Structure formats: structure tokens, C-alpha cells
Amino acid sequence: MSETLPVPSAPPAPARRVSGVPIRLEHVTKRYPGQDRPAVDDVTLDIAAGETVMFVGPSGCGKTTLLKMINRLIEPTSGRIHLGDEDVTNQDPDRLRRRIGYVIQAGGLFPHMMVATNIGMVPRMLGWEKQRVTERIDELLDLVGLDPEQYRDRYPKELSGGQQQRVGVARALAADPPVLLMDEPFGAVDPITRQRLQDELLRIQDELGKTIVCVTHDFDEAVKLGDRIVVFDVGARIVQYDTPEAILAAPAEEYVADFVGAGATLKQLTLTRVNSLHLRPVTTASVGDDAADAVARARAAGDDFVVVLDRRGRPISWPTLAEVSRMAAIPATVDEKLPVVGLGSTLNDALDTMLAASQGGAVVLGRRDSLAGVVTIEMIMDAIQRTRQETAG
Amino acid sequence: MTTATPSARGVAAGDARDEAAPAQPGTEAAGTAPGGWRALVVQPLLVAVGLLAFLLWRANATLTDTEARQLGTATLWDSALRHLSLTVVSAAIVLLISIPLGIALTRPALRRLTPAVIGVANVGQAAPAIGLFVLLATWLGFGFWTTIVALVVYSALPVLRNTMVGIQGVDPRLVEAGRGMGMSGTAVLFRVELPLAGPVMLAGARTALVLLVGTATLATFINGGGLGVLINTGITLSLNSLLISGAVLVALLALAVDWLGRVVEHVARPKGL
Ligand SMILES: Nc1ncnc2c1ncn2[C@@H]1O[C@H](COP(=O)(O)OP(=O)(O)OP(=O)(O)O)[C@@H](O)[C@H]1O
Ligand SMILES: [Mg+2]
């Protein structure tokens, strides 16, 4: 099997910030005691710095085992593991792990510690000064889209599942590790929350450029998040290691084709992202603004609704002009059903979100949850039509 | 874009796109059952009322010489103190032995032994206490320290078992998360496993204490002293006043000790659970 040294094809997206380091697994094998077949059988894998690599494959094929051998939560039976240009196979595992972020399902937060304590754990172990740790905690909460003032002193049980997972990501990023390992991080949350968390991760990764290795059961998630996907079979045999586009276009084996599933048009929905559409600009108003003025501006722009932004510039509702004209000032009410997608969301996600909210459009968030525009169902239909025509002729 | 949502249901502005957070921050985190604090208040009241009733009876009852001697303030006080010291000393020894042992038995290296140890301990627990006392006395002789040994053997199980059960009850993913972020095994034990196992372990300690207060009445049979002397004398001389006094005082002591344990559990319960 050692000949399957995978050579990734096409280079990743053009220059973005990279703070990660490459990972190299060399002939790594894991044999659990009392089992005749190795769970991971002689795997060699190169992961480039700053890339997100998704592990997919059937249950029990060794994805988790392989992932945990990178931070040596599981010791390999044989083989070498390199991080950057260091061979870490025999390094002190505790010190190694402080340089590798680790995110598990449902966050794995310590329930008896407040959010801030959870996040500050690794920095404190590394001996950071108090002040620096405190600043870092707030910075990270902000990064994962949670207001530090509001969430810092909560206990995990006072957070929703999605929020817990965000804190889990923040905790993993606390000491700015170059590598992030994730084992089905979004497996335990509902589909809408999962999609938001995925968007969030894309945005964070866009900012940070870590090397991320992420196990998932969901091929669509792999397509959405991954710069590359590794498709495994039993014994962690690498069946295909390539970009999502390449795997979708040319599955290496029938096995992969089965795994990929679904029709060609629908693939477009998972391959095309909201940021590739020409988003519609919209009329915005801030909380407390004069309502009549907002209505006038919307009319002038030809909009029949207004997107309301809170004091941090994040959209909180989108009342119709009829509704706005009944008010004196723009209210601070948060519309909990406001359909929201990220720039990195796939068209598939966007459609899901609209359907879930029974609306014909969704608000698109850019960096740090600021408003990037609006996407409508018509725009998505157009995009599908266009690619169809392109592929047809 | 035609239908935009009515900006429904007023929620304070703040987090636009966050999944509704379930609980308020800073709400009472200690998860005592409803009425839990009430029990904490009622129990010491009961003890106080019981003690008062006993003292009133003692002051007004007409007693024979023997009774009066046995129920004299100094004698009573001595017996009670003796009883308490039997309880406290053996409890301290039990905690010192059982907790480290319980922890050791949940470490990966020794985990295999856990069922065997629990089995042995269960057998010890099932043996009749009086038999254990007499057996140990014939071997070690009569007196205070033999009593202590018997009490320790007899009450080690709840603490040992609860320590192991408490630690085993900690979500293994939390241990993995801790190790995964670079905490040493010891750090995970002290910062994650023990705090989370704390409530179960404390409950075990409280059970052991109450058990000890009751079992220490048997000390009288091997010259260990304590409030059991009253009961024993009462039985031998058919003096119900002594018998009942002894029983009531032991019960009050057990209730008081149980209450103390509950207070400690309440206070020490980790926040956020
Ligand atoms: N601690 C262990 N002891 C013995 N065998 C194990 C252990 N952990 C995993 N295995 C076995 O190794 C194989 C690979 O397990 P692994 O958890 O890596 O699979 P996976 O690909 O992550 O599966 P899933 O998608 O279900 O999470 C399985 O056959 C599993 O039964
Ligand atoms: Mg797994």
C-alpha cells in the first residue's frame, strides 16, 4: 500500500494568509491489541500548510484513529509524523498537543468552568501573563462571533449547542496553534446551526490560514469546507486525495462515485458559493434611525424592505417598507428567524436557509458578521441556469 | 424579494444570528433539587428540637441512682465525645485510604482491577458488623484502636465505590478534550475529573459518616466506649430510659452529621453543573 503516496493536483486558491505548517504522515500504522487487521494500515499523507483537508470514508475505516495519531492521543504502532520540518513522533505528547488545536463533537467544554476559563486553559498552561490571556479570550470570542461581554462569564450549560461549539473552536485556537484537528465538529448540531458554524469556520480560516484536518461523515460538508478531500476505505486506505471539484468530476473508483452520490446539477449547488454571485446591495438602517427617512431611501433605491443593523453593524431584521412606515424610529428588535448565510456558504446552504425560513431571500454576512448584501432565490436559479448552459455548450 | 419578515417578538438587541441561548447568565448554578435548601434548614431544626426535648426530659424525669449516674452530664458528654471521636478518626482514615485507592483504581493502568476490588469490598460490606468487630477483637484485642480498625474496614466501601463511580461517570470526551489540549494526566485528574466527580464522592463520604455513627454503637461490645454503652447498659439492666436515651442521642448525632455533610456538598458543588 505504500505506493499510494498521493500527489495532490491543482494548487490551492491564490495567495491567502497562511499561518499553518505542513503535516506529513509517513508509513503510519496503528494496530489495536487483539485485532488482526490494523485500523490504519501504512498510510502516507502530505498535507500542505494552510490547507483544510477533510477526511471522509465509511464508519470504522480509521479516520479518527489517523487524526488522533497526528496529536498522538493515539500512539502509532509504526511510522513517522512530521509537523513542519520537525519529526514529532517521539516528542513529549503534552507539549506537542499544546501546539495543536483539537476540536471534538459538541465542543467538549469543561462544564464546571466558565467560557473564559475554558478558552484560557492552554495559554495559562503555556505560562502566558494574566493580562495577555484575558485579552486573548476576548479576541477569540469576538473571532467566533460571540460578544465577550455577554458570554465570557457564562457556564457551558448556559450556551446553546452551536454557541458551545464556537467556544470549542475558540478554545482550540487559544494559543494560536498552527494546526487544528477536528473530529466531526459539527455532528451534534441541527442543520441550520451546522451551516452557520461551517460558514464561520470558513471565515475564520480565511483570516487565519491554519492547517486544518477535519473528519466528517457528510460529503457535502467536505466539499464545502475542504481545500482537499481524502476519501478513505477500510484500514484508512487512501482511495482518492484531491480537490472537491476534481473528486466530483472524476471519482477515482466506483466506491468514491457511490460515496459522492447525487446528480450533476445538484453538485453545482454545493460547489458554487454565495460569494461568486453578484450580491444585491440593499438599503440599511441603524437601530434608532428615523423610520420615514429609511423608507424614503429604500423607495429611491427601489427596495421594498430595509435591513436593520445593530450598533456593531450586524443585521438583526429586515422589515418591509409597510412595517417600517408604521414606526417612528427603527427598533432594536432581533428577528430570530432572519435567514442568514455567509459569503462562504454554498448555494445549497442558501437554498436550505431560505426554505427553512419560508422566504425568497437571505441576508449575506461578510467579515465579522457585517452585511455583505442579499441573495435571492432568483439569483440562485440564474446561477444554476448559467452553469447548465455552459456545461451543455 | 417580496415577503420580508415582520420584525416579531421583542428580544433585546445584541446577538443577531445566535441560536437562542437557553439560560440567563448568573442564574443559581448549584443544582440542588427544589426544596433542597429547605431540607437543609429543616434538618438542624429537627436535631435542635430533639436535643431540647431530651434535655427537658432529663431535667424533669425521676431517675434511679444507676440511671442518674449513666445520664450524668459529665458521663454523657464523655460518651458523646468518645462516640464522635470514634466516628471522626475512622472517617478520616477511611477518606485517606479510600479516595487515593479509588483514584488509583480508575487510572488506565489499574482499571482492569476495578470489578475485583468492588467485589471484595461488597463482600466486606455484607458481613455482619458485629461479627467483624468480634473477629477483629479476638485478633487485635479490645479497645479504641481495634474499634477504629473495624469501623474503617466496615465503612471504606461507600467512599471507595463512590470515588470510582464518580470518576468513571465523568464524560470520557472531557478527559480526551483535556489530554487533547495538552493537559497532563495529573492535570486532567485534578482540574477535570475530581471536580466533576466531587458531588458523588462527597455523597459517598456522607453515607460513610452516617454509617459510622450508627456502627460505632457496637464499639461498646469490644470496650470501645461511645454512646453504645448507654444502649448496652440499658439492655443488660432492663433500663429503658438508658436504652432510649442512647438510641435517641445516636440518632440525633447521625442526623447532625448527615446535615453537615449535606451542607458541605451544597457548598462544594461545582458551579455550572
Ligand atoms: N481503542 C480501540 N481499541 C480497539 N479498537 C479500536 C479502538 N478504537 C477504534 N478501534 C477500531 O479501529 C477501527 C477504526 O476506528 P476509528 O474510530 O478510527 O474509525 P472512524 O473512521 O473514525 O469511524 P467513525 O466514522 O464511525 O467515527 C474500527 O474498526 C474500530 O473498531
Ligand atoms: Mg470517528
Side-chain angles (χ1 to χ4, degrees):
Chain A
M1 258 203 62
S2 56
E3 68 281 359
T4 49
L5 202 163
V7 184
S9 55
R16 73 178 176 199
R17 200 187 113 95
V18 169
S19 68
V21 297
I23 303 170
R24 179 171 168 73
L25 304 176
E26 249 172 51
H27 302 291
V28 170
T29 295
K30 176 65 189 183
R31 209 179 281 276
Y32 286 110
Q35 289 185 356
D36 36 338
R37 296 193 60 176
V40 169
D41 191 2
D42 193 14
V43 169
T44 297
L45 181 67
D46 271 298
I47 295 170
E51 281 201 4
T52 304
V53 171
M54 307 295 291
F55 285 4
V56 298
S59 187
C61 69
K63 305 180 292 291
T64 298
T65 304
L66 190 61
L67 185 83
K68 285 192 192 168
M69 283 195 285
I70 298 177
N71 66 0
R72 307 236 323 277
L73 274 177
I74 295 176
E75 291 288 350
T77 311
S78 63
R80 315 291 313 168
I81 298 152
H82 300 263
L83 222 66
D85 41 22
E86 260 178 286
D87 184 338
V88 297
T89 324
N90 297 318
Q91 218 179 55
D92 171 46
D94 290 336
R95 289 188 41 206
L96 169 67
R97 289 181 205 134
R98 286 172 206 173
R99 298 191 289 144
I100 302 179
Y102 185 50
V103 183
I104 59 176
Q105 202 173 77
L109 301 182
F110 300 134
H112 58 303
M113 297 180 190
M114 287 188 286
V115 165
T117 322
N118 264 291
I119 297 178
M121 205 77 195
V122 179
R124 265 181 276 113
M125 279 192 288
L126 291 171
W128 289 21
E129 276 170 39
K130 228 177 173 168
Q131 177 67 23
R132 190 169 161 218
V133 177
T134 316
E135 284 168 13
R136 181 69 180 153
I137 290 167
D138 285 3
E139 186 184 331
L140 283 161
L141 280 173
D142 212 41
L143 179 73
V144 297
L146 295 173
D147 181 3
E149 291 295 330
Q150 209 180 338
Y151 292 99
R152 198 191 284 133
D153 297 332
R154 287 200 188 182
Y155 284 100
K157 74 154 186 199
E158 296 166 341
L159 303 177
S160 69
Q163 290 168 339
Q164 288 184 19
Q165 194 53 270
R166 280 161 207 243
V167 176
V169 172
R171 183 173 70 174
L173 289 169
D176 206 16
V179 173
L180 205 55
L181 305 181
M182 313 178 102
D183 196 350
E184 302 192 29
F186 311 136
V189 292
D190 65 88
I192 296 289
T193 307
R194 180 178 315 141
Q195 181 214 308
R196 287 185 183 173
L197 290 170
Q198 291 168 346
D199 292 347
E200 205 102 334
L201 183 66
L202 283 170
R203 203 204 70 225
I204 292 170
Q205 171 65 346
D206 201 46
E207 261 179 67
L208 303 181
K210 304 285 179 196
T211 306
I212 300 182
V213 185
C214 178
V215 173
T216 180
H217 260 122
D218 175 0
F219 194 77
D220 287 343
E221 178 169 85
V223 169
K224 178 177 177 182
L225 296 180
D227 294 313
R228 289 175 209 288
I229 298 174
V230 191
V231 184
F232 291 103
D233 197 355
V234 178
R237 180 178 73 93
I238 297 173
V239 181
Q240 194 166 14
Y241 177 26
D242 218 324
T243 60
E245 292 79 5
I247 291 182
L248 285 173
E253 292 177 16
E254 199 166 304
Y255 159 73
V256 181
D258 287 347
F259 206 85
V260 170
T265 307
L266 291 178
K267 299 270 173 40
Q268 281 307 322
L269 292 173
T270 37
L271 275 179
T272 316
R273 290 173 201 267
V274 169
N275 61 10
S276 70
L277 303 176
H278 289 290
L279 296 179
R280 226 179 98 178
V282 279
T283 309
T284 62
S286 299
V287 170
D289 279 3
D290 182 50
D293 172 56
V295 172
R297 280 189 294 120
R299 291 237 160 83
D303 290 336
D304 49 12
F305 63 96
V306 175
V307 173
V308 177
L309 307 179
D310 70 5
R311 69 196 142 76
R312 302 171 90 203
R314 305 184 301 183
I316 55 174
S317 66
W318 58 352
T320 60
L321 290 192
E323 286 169 324
V324 178
S325 44
R326 283 200 294 274
M327 310 161 182
I330 301 293
T333 336
V334 176
D335 175 5
E336 288 185 67
K337 294 218 175 110
L338 182 72
V340 177
V341 296
L343 280 172
S345 295
T346 63
L347 297 189
N348 198 359
D349 294 335
L351 272 180
D352 267 357
T353 306
M354 293 178 204
L355 288 176
S358 310
Q359 306 230 358
V363 170
V364 183
L365 297 184
R367 289 217 152 193
R368 302 271 159 146
D369 297 343
S370 62
L371 178 72
V374 160
V375 59
T376 64
I377 206 156
E378 291 82 8
M379 291 161 62
I380 295 179
M381 292 309 169
D382 284 351
I384 296 173
Q385 282 299 335
R386 240 178 298 129
T387 35
R388 265 193 155 166
Q389 281 155 10
E390 275 164 27
T391 37
Chain B
M1 173 73 37
T2 45
T3 45
T5 48
S7 7
R9 267 168 301 154
V11 174
D15 221 334
R17 12 137 302 284
D18 257 306
E19 313 77 37
Q24 297 298 312
T27 39
E28 239 286 282
T32 19
W37 65 269
R38 232 172 281 147
L40 282 188
V41 177
V42 169
Q43 200 166 343
L45 285 180
L46 275 180
V47 173
V49 168
L51 195 61
L52 203 67
F54 172 75
L55 290 176
L56 278 177
W57 168 82
R58 168 75 190 81
N60 297 313
T62 40
L63 300 170
T64 64
D65 275 359
T66 328
E67 286 173 330
R69 207 177 324 116
Q70 288 285 341
L71 291 174
T73 320
T75 321
L76 264 189
W77 187 241
D78 276 354
S79 305
L81 272 188
R82 173 74 164 198
H83 202 96
L84 208 58
S85 67
L86 282 173
T87 307
V88 169
V89 170
S90 44
I93 296 175
V94 164
L95 295 184
L96 281 177
I97 295 175
S98 293
I99 291 182
L101 187 62
I103 291 172
L105 286 171
T106 53
R107 298 305 91 196
L110 294 180
R111 215 166 276 164
R112 296 170 291 120
L113 299 180
T114 305
V117 171
I118 291 196
V120 169
N122 271 331
V123 170
Q125 179 86 11
I130 185 70
L132 187 69
F133 273 70
V134 172
L135 213 66
L136 277 171
T138 51
W139 176 36
L140 297 172
F142 286 44
F144 183 81
W145 287 105
T146 306
T147 314
I148 294 287
V149 172
L151 288 175
V152 166
V153 171
Y154 195 63
S155 65
L157 177 71
V159 180
L160 181 65
R161 187 171 48 199
N162 277 37
T163 303
M164 292 196 288
V165 167
I167 292 177
Q168 282 167 347
V170 174
D171 187 344
R173 289 176 316 164
L174 296 180
V175 175
E176 188 190 303
R179 295 311 306 267
M181 69 171 74
M183 293 168 82
S184 66
T186 319
V188 171
L189 174 67
F190 282 101
R191 308 225 35 199
V192 182
E193 290 177 278
L194 287 182
L196 291 175
V200 179
M201 292 169 62
L202 283 175
R206 180 168 52 83
T207 311
L209 267 171
V210 174
L211 198 67
L212 280 171
V213 173
T215 316
T217 49
L218 299 178
T220 176
F221 294 115
I222 58 168
N223 271 350
L227 290 169
V229 175
L230 275 182
I231 300 176
N232 196 19
T233 317
I235 293 174
T236 338
L237 304 181
S238 294
L239 290 172
N240 279 343
S241 55
L242 290 189
L243 174 60
I244 293 173
S245 297
V248 165
L249 287 177
V250 169
L252 288 177
L253 192 59
L255 271 175
V257 163
D258 180 71
W259 175 75
L260 266 179
R262 284 183 196 278
V263 169
V264 171
E265 274 173 56
H266 186 82
V267 172
R269 178 178 214 92
K271 290 219 179 76
L273 292 186

PDB file of all heavy atoms in Angstrom, chain B residues 40-54:
ATOM      1  N   LEU B  40     -32.206  21.514  54.062  1.00  0.00           N
ATOM      2  CA  LEU B  40     -31.003  21.930  54.769  1.00  0.00           C
ATOM      3  C   LEU B  40     -31.332  22.767  55.999  1.00  0.00           C
ATOM      4  O   LEU B  40     -30.589  22.805  56.967  1.00  0.00           O
ATOM      5  CB  LEU B  40     -30.086  22.721  53.831  1.00  0.00           C
ATOM      6  CG  LEU B  40     -29.262  21.899  52.844  1.00  0.00           C
ATOM      7  CD1 LEU B  40     -28.268  22.786  52.113  1.00  0.00           C
ATOM      8  CD2 LEU B  40     -28.531  20.774  53.548  1.00  0.00           C
ATOM      9  N   VAL B  41     -32.440  23.477  55.948  1.00  0.00           N
ATOM     10  CA  VAL B  41     -32.826  24.296  57.099  1.00  0.00           C
ATOM     11  C   VAL B  41     -33.600  23.453  58.114  1.00  0.00           C
ATOM     12  O   VAL B  41     -33.431  23.595  59.322  1.00  0.00           O
ATOM     13  CB  VAL B  41     -33.691  25.499  56.640  1.00  0.00           C
ATOM     14  CG1 VAL B  41     -34.154  26.300  57.846  1.00  0.00           C
ATOM     15  CG2 VAL B  41     -32.891  26.380  55.696  1.00  0.00           C
ATOM     16  N   VAL B  42     -34.457  22.575  57.611  1.00  0.00           N
ATOM     17  CA  VAL B  42     -35.341  21.807  58.485  1.00  0.00           C
ATOM     18  C   VAL B  42     -34.548  20.823  59.348  1.00  0.00           C
ATOM     19  O   VAL B  42     -34.805  20.677  60.540  1.00  0.00           O
ATOM     20  CB  VAL B  42     -36.402  21.058  57.647  1.00  0.00           C
ATOM     21  CG1 VAL B  42     -37.152  20.063  58.513  1.00  0.00           C
ATOM     22  CG2 VAL B  42     -37.365  22.054  57.017  1.00  0.00           C
ATOM     23  N   GLN B  43     -33.546  20.196  58.719  1.00  0.00           N
ATOM     24  CA  GLN B  43     -32.825  19.136  59.425  1.00  0.00           C
ATOM     25  C   GLN B  43     -32.181  19.599  60.735  1.00  0.00           C
ATOM     26  O   GLN B  43     -32.389  18.966  61.771  1.00  0.00           O
ATOM     27  CB  GLN B  43     -31.791  18.524  58.481  1.00  0.00           C
ATOM     28  CG  GLN B  43     -31.352  17.155  58.911  1.00  0.00           C
ATOM     29  CD  GLN B  43     -30.600  16.435  57.803  1.00  0.00           C
ATOM     30  OE1 GLN B  43     -30.669  16.817  56.649  1.00  0.00           O
ATOM     31  NE2 GLN B  43     -29.882  15.397  58.172  1.00  0.00           N
ATOM     32  N   PRO B  44     -31.423  20.701  60.739  1.00  0.00           N
ATOM     33  CA  PRO B  44     -30.826  21.124  62.011  1.00  0.00           C
ATOM     34  C   PRO B  44     -31.897  21.532  63.031  1.00  0.00           C
ATOM     35  O   PRO B  44     -31.708  21.360  64.233  1.00  0.00           O
ATOM     36  CB  PRO B  44     -29.952  22.316  61.626  1.00  0.00           C
ATOM     37  CG  PRO B  44     -30.457  22.766  60.316  1.00  0.00           C
ATOM     38  CD  PRO B  44     -31.017  21.565  59.631  1.00  0.00           C
ATOM     39  N   LEU B  45     -33.019  22.045  62.537  1.00  0.00           N
ATOM     40  CA  LEU B  45     -34.108  22.388  63.450  1.00  0.00           C
ATOM     41  C   LEU B  45     -34.604  21.131  64.157  1.00  0.00           C
ATOM     42  O   LEU B  45     -34.788  21.119  65.380  1.00  0.00           O
ATOM     43  CB  LEU B  45     -35.256  23.047  62.688  1.00  0.00           C
ATOM     44  CG  LEU B  45     -34.998  24.503  62.265  1.00  0.00           C
ATOM     45  CD1 LEU B  45     -36.200  25.076  61.518  1.00  0.00           C
ATOM     46  CD2 LEU B  45     -34.682  25.346  63.498  1.00  0.00           C
ATOM     47  N   LEU B  46     -34.797  20.082  63.380  1.00  0.00           N
ATOM     48  CA  LEU B  46     -35.228  18.805  63.953  1.00  0.00           C
ATOM     49  C   LEU B  46     -34.255  18.339  65.023  1.00  0.00           C
ATOM     50  O   LEU B  46     -34.647  17.920  66.118  1.00  0.00           O
ATOM     51  CB  LEU B  46     -35.316  17.740  62.855  1.00  0.00           C
ATOM     52  CG  LEU B  46     -36.614  17.689  62.064  1.00  0.00           C
ATOM     53  CD1 LEU B  46     -36.547  16.598  61.010  1.00  0.00           C
ATOM     54  CD2 LEU B  46     -37.771  17.430  63.024  1.00  0.00           C
ATOM     55  N   VAL B  47     -32.970  18.422  64.694  1.00  0.00           N
ATOM     56  CA  VAL B  47     -31.946  17.993  65.644  1.00  0.00           C
ATOM     57  C   VAL B  47     -32.038  18.827  66.914  1.00  0.00           C
ATOM     58  O   VAL B  47     -32.021  18.296  68.036  1.00  0.00           O
ATOM     59  CB  VAL B  47     -30.540  18.104  65.017  1.00  0.00           C
ATOM     60  CG1 VAL B  47     -29.464  17.810  66.063  1.00  0.00           C
ATOM     61  CG2 VAL B  47     -30.410  17.157  63.847  1.00  0.00           C
ATOM     62  N   ALA B  48     -32.167  20.141  66.735  1.00  0.00           N
ATOM     63  CA  ALA B  48     -32.227  21.027  67.898  1.00  0.00           C
ATOM     64  C   ALA B  48     -33.443  20.709  68.756  1.00  0.00           C
ATOM     65  O   ALA B  48     -33.352  20.619  69.993  1.00  0.00           O
ATOM     66  CB  ALA B  48     -32.271  22.485  67.425  1.00  0.00           C
ATOM     67  N   VAL B  49     -34.594  20.525  68.105  1.00  0.00           N
ATOM     68  CA  VAL B  49     -35.821  20.212  68.840  1.00  0.00           C
ATOM     69  C   VAL B  49     -35.655  18.898  69.598  1.00  0.00           C
ATOM     70  O   VAL B  49     -35.971  18.799  70.795  1.00  0.00           O
ATOM     71  CB  VAL B  49     -37.023  20.132  67.875  1.00  0.00           C
ATOM     72  CG1 VAL B  49     -38.229  19.524  68.583  1.00  0.00           C
ATOM     73  CG2 VAL B  49     -37.349  21.511  67.332  1.00  0.00           C
ATOM     74  N   GLY B  50     -35.079  17.896  68.911  1.00  0.00           N
ATOM     75  CA  GLY B  50     -34.878  16.595  69.543  1.00  0.00           C
ATOM     76  C   GLY B  50     -33.984  16.705  70.763  1.00  0.00           C
ATOM     77  O   GLY B  50     -34.277  16.158  71.838  1.00  0.00           O
ATOM     78  N   LEU B  51     -32.909  17.463  70.611  1.00  0.00           N
ATOM     79  CA  LEU B  51     -31.954  17.625  71.701  1.00  0.00           C
ATOM     80  C   LEU B  51     -32.613  18.331  72.884  1.00  0.00           C
ATOM     81  O   LEU B  51     -32.456  17.935  74.052  1.00  0.00           O
ATOM     82  CB  LEU B  51     -30.754  18.420  71.200  1.00  0.00           C
ATOM     83  CG  LEU B  51     -29.511  18.376  72.102  1.00  0.00           C
ATOM     84  CD1 LEU B  51     -29.020  16.944  72.242  1.00  0.00           C
ATOM     85  CD2 LEU B  51     -28.404  19.259  71.534  1.00  0.00           C
ATOM     86  N   LEU B  52     -33.366  19.358  72.558  1.00  0.00           N
ATOM     87  CA  LEU B  52     -34.066  20.134  73.582  1.00  0.00           C
ATOM     88  C   LEU B  52     -35.028  19.230  74.345  1.00  0.00           C
ATOM     89  O   LEU B  52     -35.068  19.235  75.582  1.00  0.00           O
ATOM     90  CB  LEU B  52     -34.829  21.279  72.917  1.00  0.00           C
ATOM     91  CG  LEU B  52     -35.141  22.458  73.839  1.00  0.00           C
ATOM     92  CD1 LEU B  52     -33.845  23.162  74.235  1.00  0.00           C
ATOM     93  CD2 LEU B  52     -36.097  23.428  73.157  1.00  0.00           C
ATOM     94  N   ALA B  53     -35.787  18.441  73.584  1.00  0.00           N
ATOM     95  CA  ALA B  53     -36.752  17.537  74.213  1.00  0.00           C
ATOM     96  C   ALA B  53     -36.031  16.578  75.157  1.00  0.00           C
ATOM     97  O   ALA B  53     -36.470  16.346  76.295  1.00  0.00           O
ATOM     98  CB  ALA B  53     -37.509  16.763  73.146  1.00  0.00           C
ATOM     99  N   PHE B  54     -34.885  16.050  74.698  1.00  0.00           N
ATOM    100  CA  PHE B  54     -34.129  15.128  75.535  1.00  0.00           C
ATOM    101  C   PHE B  54     -33.678  15.807  76.825  1.00  0.00           C
ATOM    102  O   PHE B  54     -33.835  15.266  77.925  1.00  0.00           O
ATOM    103  CB  PHE B  54     -32.921  14.588  74.765  1.00  0.00           C
ATOM    104  CG  PHE B  54     -31.991  13.774  75.619  1.00  0.00           C
ATOM    105  CD1 PHE B  54     -32.344  12.483  75.999  1.00  0.00           C
ATOM    106  CD2 PHE B  54     -30.797  14.304  76.082  1.00  0.00           C
ATOM    107  CE1 PHE B  54     -31.504  11.736  76.804  1.00  0.00           C
ATOM    108  CE2 PHE B  54     -29.957  13.556  76.888  1.00  0.00           C
ATOM    109  CZ  PHE B  54     -30.310  12.269  77.251  1.00  0.00           C
TER     110      PHE B  54
END
